[in-house]
Amino acid sequence: MAAIKDEKEDNKTGKMLALFDIMIHGHPLTKEQIATRFDVNARTANRYLAAIRQYLEEAEKEDGPRRELRYSREDRTYRIAEVENRFISKSELFAICKILLGGRTYSRKDLESLMNRLLQSAVLPEEQEEIKEFVKRELFDYLDPSHGKPDMDQLWEVAQAIKKHHVITFDYTKIGSTQGTPHRALPLGVVFSEYYFYVIALPFGDDHKPDPTVDTRTYRLDRMSDVEETKIKWDVPYNKRFREGVFKNQTQYMFSGPIQHVAFLYTGRSIEAVMDRIPTARKVLQDDGSWLITAELKGEGILMWLLSQGSSVNVLAPATLRERWLTEARKICEQPTVDLKKLKRGH
């Protein structure tokens, strides 16, 4: 008899948890719908609702999120209020999946696993298929990034070192090299850009002090290996702390360097695309319909973008940037014509 009673209690608990899961995701239900869905009578449905109301009140007392079970006379439904701002909607989750697909950071296998876990934790089972249908075709044609996959444990280890202001040691393999070299640096921040995670760090010498000849360096996470956190602590003054947002606004394609004042004329079709690419830019419409764009940017990564705009831009300043832009343009014009049929071609 005790076993039968325990089984009934487990069944009751399971139904109440299932009901709570439905309502916590913002779905209103009538008392009749509850009774039909969970095969209970109206009195039992009332008890379930009372238990949920009591739980929400107790959770609030324990500094939990403020939620209330509310009844709508208009459609005779019960719903947990104020959940819309605390949970991801279907449209938001769809957008997140599209961003993950477009970022091309993970392998297809890892990306599929990650999106499935997001679906299972964020929306109800009957709504998962709708989102899966939207993304499965794109996932089918998804090609793995050439760098493999980012090491999330290593990323988290770097993040912890940033929090503690601890120096890390690691081997770093530069582009064109097959072997890593030892490095020691104080990580200041982590930035994601153009398919990769980057660690912005302050290089340290063997004397356990920052290298006075270098400001900061940018390391691609997937080229870092054997990352270890040391006990060396170095506190950066508050007014010199690294700010990821400012760095991304001022840096193009992760080419760091000194700040320079850039100015160019833009005659292309989408000024909005320019402002999105260069968030710190200021624009002034000229009499001839062109736009004067000025911005303070780090390094010379902006050169790559300017070259991609063809004749839609005219670089004005600084003079060194203009000269490099013109030099690259001349080199493009001087490229010889090559017979494609005579070249080795892979499959």
Side-chain angles (χ1 to χ4, degrees), residues 39-230:
D39 192 22
V40 296
N41 56 36
R43 183 178 297 178
T44 301
N46 271 332
R47 286 201 296 268
Y48 287 177
L49 291 169
I52 289 176
R53 182 179 289 108
Q54 182 180 355
Y55 171 76
L56 293 175
E57 291 173 355
E58 291 175 355
E60 183 181 348
K61 292 176 184 178
E62 297 294 329
D63 294 327
R66 185 173 183 273
R67 302 188 183 106
E68 295 179 350
L69 184 66
R70 293 181 180 173
Y71 176 70
S72 171
R73 294 182 181 276
E74 186 175 328
D75 55 10
R76 299 169 57 209
T77 59
Y78 292 85
R79 60 186 292 272
I80 296 178
E82 300 182 356
V83 297
E84 290 80 6
N85 294 329
R86 291 182 172 88
F87 290 90
I88 300 173
S89 68
K90 287 190 296 184
S91 59
E92 290 170 333
L93 187 57
F94 172 66
I96 291 171
C97 289
K98 296 293 283 186
I99 291 170
L100 287 170
L101 285 161
R104 296 197 70 248
T105 306
Y106 298 91
S107 67
R108 177 183 170 183
K109 180 180 178 182
D110 290 338
L111 184 57
E112 187 171 18
S113 172
L114 177 59
M115 289 196 296
N116 282 335
R117 281 178 281 150
L118 281 172
L119 285 168
Q120 291 169 11
S121 61
V123 297
L124 292 170
E126 55 263 32
E127 296 178 346
Q128 293 175 16
E129 291 303 320
E130 185 178 6
I131 300 178
K132 284 182 179 179
E133 186 66 26
F134 281 115
V135 301
K136 71 178 183 180
R137 285 190 294 273
E138 187 172 352
L139 190 61
F140 179 80
D141 294 319
Y142 183 84
L143 297 177
D144 288 349
S146 59
H147 63 79
K149 67 176 184 178
D151 188 332
M152 293 296 98
D153 292 333
Q154 185 167 273
L155 176 65
W156 186 245
E157 187 171 353
V158 171
Q160 293 303 299
I162 294 172
K163 180 180 179 181
K164 300 175 195 173
H165 306 285
H166 280 180
V167 173
I168 60 174
T169 61
F170 56 95
D171 287 341
Y172 191 74
T173 305
K174 295 182 179 180
I175 295 177
S177 178
T178 58
Q179 188 172 359
T181 56
H183 284 67
R184 184 195 305 265
L186 176 70
L188 304 175
V190 175
V191 175
F192 177 80
S193 179
E194 314 295 343
Y195 317 119
Y196 305 107
F197 286 101
Y198 294 88
V199 178
I200 315 302
L202 185 63
F204 264 56
D206 294 332
D207 58 354
H208 303 325
K209 292 183 179 180
D211 186 340
T213 64
V214 181
D215 181 14
T216 59
R217 279 185 181 159
T218 302
Y219 302 93
R220 225 173 76 183
L221 181 70
D222 60 295
R223 294 184 173 275
M224 298 170 64
S225 61
D226 298 325
V227 176
E228 291 187 10
E229 182 180 338
T230 71

Side-chain angles (χ1 to χ4, degrees), residues 219-249:
Y219 302 93
R220 225 173 76 183
L221 181 70
D222 60 295
R223 294 184 173 275
M224 298 170 64
S225 61
D226 298 325
V227 176
E228 291 187 10
E229 182 180 338
T230 71
K231 298 300 181 183
I232 303 171
K233 184 173 182 179
W234 191 273
D235 290 319
V236 177
Y238 182 80
N239 62 346
K240 294 184 179 181
R241 74 193 189 283
F242 179 78
R243 296 166 63 185
E244 285 93 341
V246 172
F247 179 85
K248 286 202 68 176
N249 289 339

